[in-house]
Amino acid sequence: MSSDNLRIIIIGGGAGGISAASTSKTVAPGASVTVFTEYEDVAYSPCGIPFVLGKEIPDFERLFLQTPEHYASIGIDLRLRTAVTGIDLKGRTVSVGAEKYPWDRLIIATGWEYDKPDIPGINLEGLHYIKNIRRAMEFDKLLDGVKKVVVVAATPLGIEISGNLAHRGIETHLVDEGAWLMSDVADPDIMEPVQKSLEEFGTIIHFGEKVLEFRGRDGKVSSVVTTGREIECDVAIIATHKKPNNRISREAGIEIGSTGGIVVDDHMRTSVKDVYAAGDCCEIIHGVTDIPIQGLSGSHAYSQGRVAGANAAGADRAYDPVFVPWGMVGGQVQMGGVSLGETLHKALGIPHIVAAATGISRARYYPGVSRIRVKLIADPVTHRVLGAQMSGGEGIKERADFLAFAIKRGATIEDFAWMENVYSPPIGALMEPIALAAQAGLAELAKNK
Ligand SMILES: Cc1cc2nc3c(=O)[nH]c(=O)nc-3n(C[C@H](O)[C@H](O)[C@H](O)COP(=O)(O)OP(=O)(O)OC[C@H]3O[C@@H](n4cnc5c(N)ncnc54)[C@H](O)[C@@H]3O)c2cc1C
């Protein structure tokens, strides 16, 4: 079939779906491309929402990156507020209620939802899930009258939200079962300055406490009961882990993997011919462990959408296993890394050595200089670096991107110890903190020989 006559249907208008649509249209301009989304909007940045709620960003309007008219002008048929209710793989249609829409290529980008705890009071009014921008706008207005908030789970979103709401002047409690922030993926020494900064912002953190119940008055949440205490609140925010939103794919018979994500190959093809998937509804192979993982970032969803969209339209593009560079801000501290940290290497029983040091972000005399903690985790035999974690005042994102690229290409501790680096007092110190960490690791190895 000529790619120009293709009927491409995309379910989902988030980062994965919208990038798939634009790329399909670029690769096969004559194809008909239709996007269905349950939401009222497309092409906004959910990632900015916590910062509007915290008044760091002045308004929600800035988060809209494109208009529906733009997509119409490039020939993409956007069906807003339209939930796809079923996928027929044999008949090659999707249903919206009784209506059926035929496809030659289908791209599933149904994304994720919060893992809703199955505990008493979970359906009370006043429990919020920050995702859809319209709901976030309504929540922002409500927050003007709110004095006390409980945020459930110190996930990346829980950390961003609690720092921002404390910054807004609201008494903010963050409750988490772990012993430190993001304890399932991050290392305690890396997260310690983040915790300190959040506490300086006014966030009250309750570690090692499980949420047992939401209590309410007149159908509305009034307190959160944990294993350690009862915390009164006006609203609670559920910021639990992201789980793939795959009900319709599962019902259709598309293969779902051990993580709950759709299984895709290196071209974002699902188990069914001509059906692709992209974004947080999928599971993707991790570049170091070779194990499928799920719940990556908006930038991964966007890139996967581009690959799925291109291939659905007739191109031949591959998506590599992921090394997962990540970075974010908690309070006023940046944190980030690549692949797995020391805690996860230990938990998974992966043999490793650690090379760590604390350097500085600019020349030590330059105003604004901050400490940068870098930890490299490496194979004990080959010294190939397997992962990294960092925190500090600035430059964490750039280091995470650089490390991901270098790790993917097999860089060793020795490579980083002898790397070249920029030195310019306002933007970089004489010795790059990554190189310092690697040098410290080599010195340790030499001592233990
Ligand atoms: C508050 C917040 C902060 C974030 N911060 C960051 C960040 O700092 N950095 C980062 O990289 N990422 C961030 N993200 C992005 C996020 O973590 C995800 O990785 C990203 O949303 C995944 O995109 P997606 O397209 O796979 O899924 P989603 O964004 O979940 O989009 C799914 C789409 O599918 C539609 N849909 C689902 N089911 C159906 C159906 N049956 N019929 C029709 N439509 C359907 C939905 O309407 C939606 O349009 C943030 C997200 C939020 C909410």
Side-chain angles (χ1 to χ4, degrees):
M1 174 182 287
S2 151
S3 58
D4 270 357
N5 299 324
L6 282 174
R7 292 165 301 180
I8 301 174
I9 284 191
I10 297 160
I11 314 174
I18 221 66
S19 64
S22 305
T23 312
S24 289
K25 202 67 195 165
T26 310
V27 171
S32 91
V33 176
T34 308
V35 177
F36 291 97
T37 171
E38 291 174 329
Y39 290 171
E40 301 88 337
D41 307 284
V42 289
Y44 64 83
S45 169
C47 317
I49 293 174
F51 304 92
V52 183
L53 296 177
K55 307 268 185 215
E56 286 279 340
I57 301 175
D59 53 68
F60 283 98
E61 281 61 43
R62 290 167 200 241
L63 305 189
F64 288 93
L65 308 170
Q66 262 315 343
T67 59
E69 292 73 32
H70 163 77
Y71 292 103
S73 77
I74 58 170
I76 293 173
D77 181 4
L78 272 187
R79 306 293 178 99
L80 304 174
R81 295 187 182 90
T82 310
V84 171
T85 47
I87 301 168
D88 178 351
L89 294 173
K90 259 204 178 140
R92 293 185 155 233
T93 58
V94 296
S95 332
V96 175
E99 293 282 319
K100 289 199 185 308
Y101 297 84
W103 47 264
D104 302 305
R105 305 280 154 80
L106 176 66
I107 303 175
I108 301 169
T110 44
W112 60 281
E113 55 199 0
Y114 289 101
D115 199 1
K116 206 171 166 180
D118 184 15
I119 55 174
I122 191 68
N123 293 320
L124 283 169
E125 202 189 307
L127 300 187
H128 294 267
Y129 301 82
I130 311 289
K131 185 157 192 251
N132 176 309
I133 197 163
R134 299 283 175 120
R135 303 297 86 70
M137 287 167 166
E138 291 156 15
F139 184 52
D140 184 49
K141 288 196 189 113
L142 185 81
L143 280 176
D144 287 336
V146 160
K147 291 198 170 56
K148 270 188 163 190
V149 173
V150 174
V151 179
V152 179
T155 54
L157 186 68
I159 291 172
E160 280 187 356
I161 289 280
S162 47
N164 274 288
L165 295 189
H167 181 249
R168 183 167 170 154
I170 297 172
E171 182 180 317
T172 304
H173 295 255
L174 176 60
V175 180
D176 193 89
E177 283 182 57
W180 63 89
L181 300 169
M182 285 165 57
S183 58
D184 51 347
V185 289
D187 294 344
D189 54 327
I190 294 296
M191 299 311 276
E192 200 223 276
V194 183
Q195 177 187 338
K196 211 166 147 234
S197 180
L198 280 180
E199 287 170 341
E200 279 164 11
F201 261 35
T203 310
I204 303 155
I205 307 179
H206 308 282
F207 285 129
E209 294 188 21
K210 187 175 162 67
V211 174
L212 299 175
E213 180 184 354
F214 297 99
R215 288 202 181 138
R217 261 190 302 271
D218 305 326
K220 194 179 166 306
V221 71
S222 57
S223 69
V224 177
V225 181
T226 75
T227 41
R229 72 200 70 230
E230 179 169 359
I231 311 165
E232 282 186 16
C233 62
D234 303 311
V235 293
I237 296 172
I238 316 289
T240 44
H241 284 290
K242 300 193 290 183
K243 76 176 202 206
N245 175 20
N246 277 337
R247 188 183 55 79
I248 55 171
S249 301
R250 198 184 285 276
E251 285 171 3
I254 293 164
E255 188 185 352
I256 306 289
S258 55
T259 67
I262 296 172
V263 175
V264 286
D265 70 4
D266 65 350
H267 278 58
M268 307 310 294
R269 290 179 287 231
T270 69
S271 59
V272 178
K273 188 172 180 302
D274 294 333
V275 180
Y276 298 76
D280 278 346
C281 61
C282 301
E283 59 177 38
I284 301 289
I285 298 295
H286 188 278
V288 174
T289 63
D290 243 8
I291 292 170
I293 55 169
Q294 163 278 317
L296 300 171
S297 73
S299 69
H300 288 93
Y302 193 81
S303 308
Q304 290 163 24
R306 287 176 61 206
V307 172
N311 292 339
D316 177 18
R317 273 195 212 156
Y319 186 77
D320 288 345
V322 288
F323 287 73
V324 204
W326 62 277
M328 52 176 285
V329 179
Q332 284 183 309
V333 175
Q334 300 183 6
M335 74 214 93
V338 185
S339 184
L340 314 181
E342 186 183 3
T343 306
L344 270 180
H345 276 86
K346 272 191 195 144
L348 294 171
I350 303 172
H352 63 280
I353 51 171
V354 174
T358 301
I360 49 176
S361 62
R362 311 175 179 191
R364 69 189 155 85
Y365 49 80
Y366 204 89
V369 61
S370 74
R371 288 155 67 85
I372 307 282
R373 173 90 180 147
V374 175
K375 267 169 91 174
L376 304 173
I377 296 95
D379 181 280
V381 178
T382 62
H383 297 179
R384 185 179 166 180
V385 177
L386 306 171
Q389 293 213 342
M390 300 166 283
S391 52
E394 58 186 353
I396 297 298
K397 176 245 180 308
E398 292 79 1
R399 289 187 172 87
D401 287 346
F402 159 69
L403 282 166
F405 192 78
I407 290 173
K408 189 171 177 177
R409 271 149 189 80
T412 61
I413 299 256
E414 284 79 359
D415 292 327
F416 289 119
W418 295 101
M419 66 183 270
E420 294 177 272
N421 67 267
V422 173
Y423 169 48
S424 170
I427 54 170
L430 181 64
M431 288 303 296
E432 163 54 39
I434 294 170
L436 289 177
Q439 288 160 16
L442 291 182
E444 273 303 304
L445 284 172
K447 252 200 273 168
N448 299 330
K449 243 187 185 168

